Amino acid sequence: MATDEWTRWLLTRRDGGNAELRAQHATDLQVFREEVLDRAALSPTDTLLDVGSGTGLIAFGALERLGPDGRVIFSDVSEAGLEECRSRAGGDPRCSFVHAAAEDLSAVPDASVDVVTTRSVLIYCDYKPAAFREFFRVLKPGGRLSIFEPVNRFLLEHRPDSLFGLRDPEVADLLAKVVAVYRDGARRGENPMTDFDERDLLRWAAEAGFDGIEVDYRAQLDVPAEPIGDWEARKKVAPNPLAPTYGEAMAAALTDEEHERLDTRMTQLAQSGTPTRRTLATAYLRALHP
């Protein structure tokens, strides 16, 4: 099957191919899916457009809630991702597939769907207000929008030099160099992953014409979290589809001696079960088409 940077990340680079990390992610992803779909308030006969379907997390969850006359449109910029979804759909006649970006859903007719969903899609969009206008256009009157987005600006403002929330004085200098690989990459242009917060989401929805807008925002700062686990597996993980893995960032930022020193210390921290610390913010938005 053909692949690209999006599907490679979803299928392998998100968890480094490690079963333990995959299980951890699966728990979080299930929560995101159920929260988005609960806010969508599906009826059995609804037509749902899932924008940025990826490998189908939200879309396949919606199929489980819809009846035989319901319908799900899988939409994504990745042809490889859509092909993965086609394969998983197994010929379900309720499924259709559209190759499109969130900012240009012109392949979807005006006022043709009951629900629009997204999960972690706007962070890759350069023109987020255009995406909201497209969501509004394709929805029928009375339709619902339900989205989830990480608010990465929060991490950038509060812990810009943090890697896994670790504050280990033995390797603080090396961790800072690795983090700089990701930060400097973002500086090459305006970074769509960090150029908004929850207030922007609310504003863009209102400007597009939505009403009944609700935003559920949650922030965590230095909250104790799971240990690093298998460090060799963790090094194969990339934080997003457009970023290098942690191992690749280490190779780019460190000398051989520094690389060995950081490897040794991170292995020690992993084996001792030292917890990481979580700093992040997330937002769920629900809105109605009047």
Side-chain angles (χ1 to χ4, degrees):
M1 181 178 293
T3 188
D4 57 21
E5 60 195 1
W6 305 100
T7 51
R8 280 194 296 272
W9 184 76
L10 290 167
L11 296 175
T12 59
R13 286 167 65 88
R14 176 165 59 186
D15 52 39
N18 179 268
E20 183 178 349
L21 290 174
R22 184 168 297 153
Q24 291 176 6
H25 288 314
T27 299
D28 293 338
L29 292 172
Q30 183 175 0
V31 171
F32 299 151
R33 179 186 66 191
E34 299 308 313
E35 292 282 357
V36 168
L37 290 174
D38 285 349
R39 287 169 172 80
L42 293 178
S43 297
T45 59
D46 277 343
T47 294
L48 178 144
L49 170 65
D50 186 37
V51 179
S53 295
T55 52
L57 176 73
I58 302 296
F60 286 120
L63 285 171
E64 296 175 2
R65 298 190 182 204
L66 293 171
D69 295 323
R71 183 185 172 209
V72 172
I73 305 170
F74 295 69
S75 171
D76 205 278
V77 295
S78 168
E79 286 279 19
L82 290 173
E83 183 59 31
E84 177 74 18
C85 290
R86 285 190 189 97
S87 176
R88 295 185 181 189
D92 189 327
R94 299 176 297 166
C95 301
S96 59
F97 305 89
V98 174
H99 183 221
E103 303 100 318
D104 181 7
L105 298 170
S106 54
V108 182
D110 294 359
S112 61
V113 304
D114 301 289
V115 177
V116 171
T117 56
T118 74
R119 184 196 66 83
S120 302
V121 169
L122 295 173
I123 56 172
Y124 302 111
C125 294
D126 291 320
Y127 306 106
K128 296 175 179 65
F132 275 95
R133 290 193 294 270
E134 283 292 85
F135 302 159
F136 187 85
R137 179 186 63 79
V138 301
L139 278 168
K140 301 174 184 177
R144 287 92 65 204
L145 172 68
S146 180
I147 71 174
F148 166 86
E149 290 293 330
V151 182
N152 292 330
R153 180 182 287 175
F154 181 84
L155 175 63
L156 193 64
E157 290 178 349
H158 292 278
R159 294 291 180 267
D161 297 320
S162 175
L163 187 68
F164 311 124
L166 292 173
R167 302 175 183 172
D168 189 82
E170 289 191 29
V171 290
D173 58 328
L174 305 184
L175 291 172
K177 289 183 178 183
V178 175
V179 171
V181 173
Y182 297 103
R183 189 174 58 244
D184 292 345
R187 285 175 180 160
R188 295 190 187 110
E190 186 68 23
N191 186 0
M193 292 189 178
T194 57
D195 67 356
F196 71 100
D197 61 22
E198 71 285 356
R199 294 164 295 184
D200 295 307
L201 295 174
L202 190 152
R203 174 170 55 84
W204 292 328
E207 290 174 350
F210 287 99
D211 63 14
I213 305 167
E214 302 174 54
V215 174
D216 295 319
Y217 174 77
R218 184 187 185 197
Q220 296 175 282
L221 183 62
D222 296 332
V223 175
E226 64 279 349
I228 295 169
D230 185 336
W231 173 237
E232 288 304 313
R234 183 74 67 171
K235 286 193 295 183
K236 298 175 184 177
V237 170
N240 66 71
L242 305 180
T245 66
Y246 297 115
E248 290 166 347
M250 288 172 60
L254 307 177
T255 66
D256 290 345
E257 180 181 351
E258 290 173 332
H259 195 292
E260 182 177 357
R261 180 158 66 94
L262 182 56
D263 245 348
T264 298
R265 182 56 177 161
M266 295 299 281
T267 300
Q268 291 171 347
L269 294 173
Q271 292 174 344
S272 66
T274 300
T276 57
R277 289 188 175 271
R278 181 181 297 117
T279 295
L280 60 80
T282 59
Y284 292 93
L285 182 145
R286 180 179 185 270
L288 303 176
H289 189 303

